[in-house]
Amino acid sequence: MDRLSLNIATTKKWNLAEAVEGAVRAGLPSVGLWRDRVHELGLDRAAKLVRDAGLRVSSLCRGGFLTATSPEGIREALDDNRAALDEAAALGTDALVMVVGGLPEGSVDLAGARQRVAERIAELVPRARERGVRIVLEPLHPMYAADRAVISTLEQALDLAAPHTAEEVAVVVDTFHVFWDPALPRAIERAGREGRIASYQVCDFNLPIAADALLSRGMMGDGVVDFAAITRMIAETGYSGDVEVEIFNAEIWDSPGDSVLATMTERYRELVLPHLG
Amino acid sequence: MDRLSLNIATTKKWNLAEAVEGAVRAGLPSVGLWRDRVHELGLDRAAKLVRDAGLRVSSLCRGGFLTATSPEGIREALDDNRAALDEAAALGTDALVMVVGGLPEGSVDLAGARQRVAERIAELVPRARERGVRIVLEPLHPMYAADRAVISTLEQALDLAAPHTAEEVAVVVDTFHVFWDPALPRAIERAGREGRIASYQVCDFNLPIAADALLSRGMMGDGVVDFAAITRMIAETGYSGDVEVEIFNAEIWDSPGDSVLATMTERYRELVLPHLG
């Protein structure tokens, strides 16, 4: 249990204080935070709340949305991401998770959007270095390639990270997003070798895909992800950080938070922990 | 227009005779057939119908569903695919498209399912060679990895084809399934170099994803696929075969077939043909 982290998007009805209390009640050592919940409370109070509760912050979600083409869109994205890097530092985490954004309205130029992401990352790196916070690139499932994140595979995330040091740009491996990838063993091995695994997130892939495709994430064991296989790949890299549970799922959001944490802990013990090494 | 083929799944309400007549009326030189429509009419009559109409058969859909674990399941799959290879030969096409199947009920062993696909392909190759029909592996979009096809990228399809000659095992590039792939330029170049591109299928990726995810395929120009970029990659390999339009989409299925063919021809001329070289 000393590596299990609640990403607070999993208990969406709880505000930050409630999520922190819930995590403490469940005996968890760590939480993954979202900026909207932090802003609700105010950055300083949020940081103090988590610190006083004795919890680690495994990551901050999220920066990103870097694919704008207009000068104003680019400036806004850079400003917002620099603020997010500052917030991560204030909250005591070195991981700012980035959902990099999809195609601008009306565009089909995926290659161009990917190129702009590379350029924006390079512009953000100096602030990341200054704050001691890593830009953590999240490859999203290819079904979100056009509208959420033009980074679609772990290999691609590593290629985008390659011009920068592992302290500056890293990656998150989220089972929901990458379980399907036949090149996953090779990509995880590379991520480990390069020292770039900043976070391991576990979440199942439910079928059928939810009518709102964003909500197809499921509790471990409810879907089609092979947690044993992927967790062993992660363990073999020597990754020793937190394992974050991040689930967007209407049914889970409607359930009482404490019971979600109980199920999550049980499934983690059964499906993930035995393979963590 | 001399390379445009109607995959008859696009005009789902038409039976085979109606689809053949519709294709002829629209001035198309080629059709992609489905086994269920062929069986309705009878193999010999179907073959004669298409031949007498002066149409090419660009491909037969579909073989596959090769991931069974039980001896009976394996035998049934092999029998059915051998029959499909015979049918393809009788229909005068050298391309049997394979949707290889997903995980067996209750299983999450994706690596195991992929291994079984490799084994079944090897068992089918002798019949394919005998009939002069290629086993054409179709990588499906990763959102179908668990329930439709465990082949998720073009690179993976090429790796599965690699133990066999290009006359025995080839691939189809379907824009809907592969447009998101950051490794696509490299994979298409490889497919061309190996002589393994048996079919190029064009179809858009509509957003938001349809409630039934199988029906998110869209008319070219209605979604987020960059047809110019992908068609140029295909053209650069020297591919000179048919370009098949295969769309599963409730709204298109509800439209009159002739108007679907008119739109399809217009969009092909506008979005695909200028880049075919």
Side-chain angles (χ1 to χ4, degrees):
Chain A
M1 292 285 289
D2 59 342
R3 295 171 64 183
L4 179 57
S5 174
L6 169 69
N7 183 294
I8 66 170
T10 306
T11 49
K12 190 188 168 104
K13 282 189 180 162
W14 276 348
N15 65 26
L16 184 57
E18 289 165 334
V20 163
E21 286 159 21
V24 168
R25 268 197 307 279
L28 302 181
S30 187
V31 285
L33 302 183
W34 280 68
R35 293 177 71 202
D36 54 350
R37 287 298 193 189
V38 168
H39 295 170
E40 267 173 19
L41 197 62
L43 179 62
D44 293 342
R45 290 177 63 194
K48 182 173 186 320
L49 178 79
V50 178
R51 202 170 48 235
D52 289 352
L55 296 173
R56 288 193 294 276
V57 178
S58 48
S59 73
L60 178 64
C61 292
R62 62 194 184 198
F65 299 95
L66 301 171
T67 57
T69 50
S70 69
E72 316 81 65
I74 293 172
R75 197 178 49 243
E76 275 170 33
L78 290 174
D79 287 349
D80 186 57
N81 279 282
R82 288 185 181 119
L85 288 162
D86 297 350
E87 290 164 23
L91 290 163
T93 178
D94 67 351
L96 176 66
V97 174
M98 295 282 212
V99 171
V100 298
L103 296 169
E105 186 66 31
S107 168
V108 297
D109 181 14
L110 198 51
R114 286 167 168 166
Q115 180 54 38
R116 290 194 297 281
V117 168
E119 291 163 9
R120 296 297 87 73
I121 292 169
E123 291 168 298
L124 290 169
V125 156
R127 179 72 67 103
R129 198 167 41 221
E130 212 176 292
R131 291 287 176 264
V133 173
R134 303 164 99 181
I135 293 168
V136 178
L137 302 177
E138 178 154 25
L140 255 58
H141 192 287
M143 68 183 167
Y144 309 125
D147 59 351
R148 307 292 296 174
V150 297
I151 303 183
S152 305
T153 64
L154 185 54
E155 183 187 37
Q156 182 196 3
L158 292 167
D159 288 347
L160 281 162
H164 312 285
T165 71
E167 289 67 44
E168 292 160 349
V169 183
V171 297
V172 43
V173 178
D174 179 315
T175 54
F176 174 91
H177 291 305
V178 302
F179 82 96
W180 59 271
D181 188 351
L184 192 61
R186 184 178 74 200
I188 288 180
E189 186 279 326
R190 175 182 165 193
R193 181 164 30 84
E194 295 182 356
R196 294 199 200 260
I197 303 179
S199 176
Y200 178 43
Q201 295 186 336
V202 292
C203 164
D204 219 326
F205 188 98
N206 283 0
L207 283 178
I209 292 169
D212 176 350
L214 282 178
L215 305 187
S216 242
R217 298 173 70 94
M219 186 60 75
M220 297 82 79
D222 287 352
V224 294
V225 168
D226 188 343
F227 288 100
I230 300 177
T231 302
R232 281 196 297 262
M233 295 176 207
I234 293 287
E236 274 162 25
T237 68
Y239 176 75
S240 61
D242 285 336
V243 180
E244 217 178 88
V245 176
E246 183 189 45
I247 307 177
F248 315 150
N249 178 302
E251 202 180 320
I252 289 175
W253 285 342
D254 283 342
S255 306
D258 285 324
S259 93
V260 170
L261 263 62
T263 307
M264 164 185 139
T265 303
E266 181 192 316
R267 299 290 180 87
Y268 171 77
R269 279 206 176 105
E270 181 190 338
L271 295 168
V272 179
L273 188 56
H275 311 285
L276 260 184
Chain B
M1 293 281 291
D2 60 342
R3 296 172 65 184
L4 179 57
S5 175
L6 168 69
N7 183 295
I8 66 171
T10 305
T11 49
K12 190 190 168 99
K13 282 189 180 161
W14 276 349
N15 64 27
L16 184 57
E18 290 165 336
V20 163
E21 287 159 22
V24 169
R25 268 196 308 279
L28 302 181
S30 186
V31 284
L33 302 183
W34 279 67
R35 292 177 73 202
D36 54 350
R37 287 299 193 188
V38 168
H39 294 170
E40 267 174 19
L41 197 62
L43 179 61
D44 292 342
R45 289 178 63 192
K48 184 174 185 321
L49 178 78
V50 179
R51 204 168 49 233
D52 288 353
L55 297 173
R56 286 193 296 275
V57 178
S58 49
S59 72
L60 178 64
C61 291
R62 60 193 186 194
F65 299 96
L66 301 172
T67 57
T69 51
S70 69
E72 315 81 65
I74 293 172
R75 199 177 49 242
E76 274 170 34
L78 290 174
D79 287 350
D80 186 57
N81 279 282
R82 288 185 182 120
L85 288 163
D86 297 349
E87 290 164 22
L91 290 163
T93 178
D94 68 351
L96 175 67
V97 174
M98 296 283 212
V99 172
V100 299
L103 296 169
E105 185 65 31
S107 169
V108 296
D109 181 14
L110 198 51
R114 286 166 168 167
Q115 180 54 39
R116 290 193 298 282
V117 168
E119 292 164 8
R120 296 297 87 75
I121 292 169
E123 292 168 297
L124 289 169
V125 157
R127 179 71 68 102
R129 197 165 43 219
E130 214 176 292
R131 291 287 175 263
V133 173
R134 304 164 99 181
I135 294 169
V136 178
L137 302 177
E138 178 153 25
L140 256 58
H141 192 287
M143 68 182 165
Y144 308 126
D147 60 351
R148 306 293 296 174
V150 297
I151 302 184
S152 305
T153 64
L154 185 54
E155 183 187 40
Q156 182 197 4
L158 291 168
D159 288 346
L160 281 162
H164 312 286
T165 70
E167 288 68 42
E168 292 160 349
V169 184
V171 298
V172 44
V173 178
D174 179 317
T175 53
F176 174 90
H177 292 304
V178 303
F179 81 97
W180 59 269
D181 187 353
L184 193 62
R186 183 178 75 198
I188 288 180
E189 186 278 325
R190 175 182 165 194
R193 181 164 30 84
E194 296 182 355
R196 294 198 200 262
I197 303 180
S199 177
Y200 178 43
Q201 296 185 335
V202 292
C203 164
D204 219 325
F205 188 99
N206 282 1
L207 283 178
I209 293 170
D212 176 349
L214 281 177
L215 305 187
S216 242
R217 298 173 70 94
M219 186 59 75
M220 298 83 78
D222 287 352
V224 294
V225 167
D226 189 342
F227 288 100
I230 300 177
T231 302
R232 280 197 296 263
M233 294 176 208
I234 293 288
E236 274 163 25
T237 68
Y239 176 77
S240 61
D242 286 337
V243 180
E244 216 179 270
V245 176
E246 183 189 45
I247 308 176
F248 314 150
N249 177 301
E251 202 179 320
I252 289 176
W253 285 343
D254 283 341
S255 306
D258 285 324
S259 93
V260 171
L261 264 61
T263 307
M264 162 185 141
T265 303
E266 181 191 315
R267 300 289 179 86
Y268 170 78
R269 279 206 177 104
E270 182 189 338
L271 296 169
V272 179
L273 189 56
H275 311 285
L276 261 185

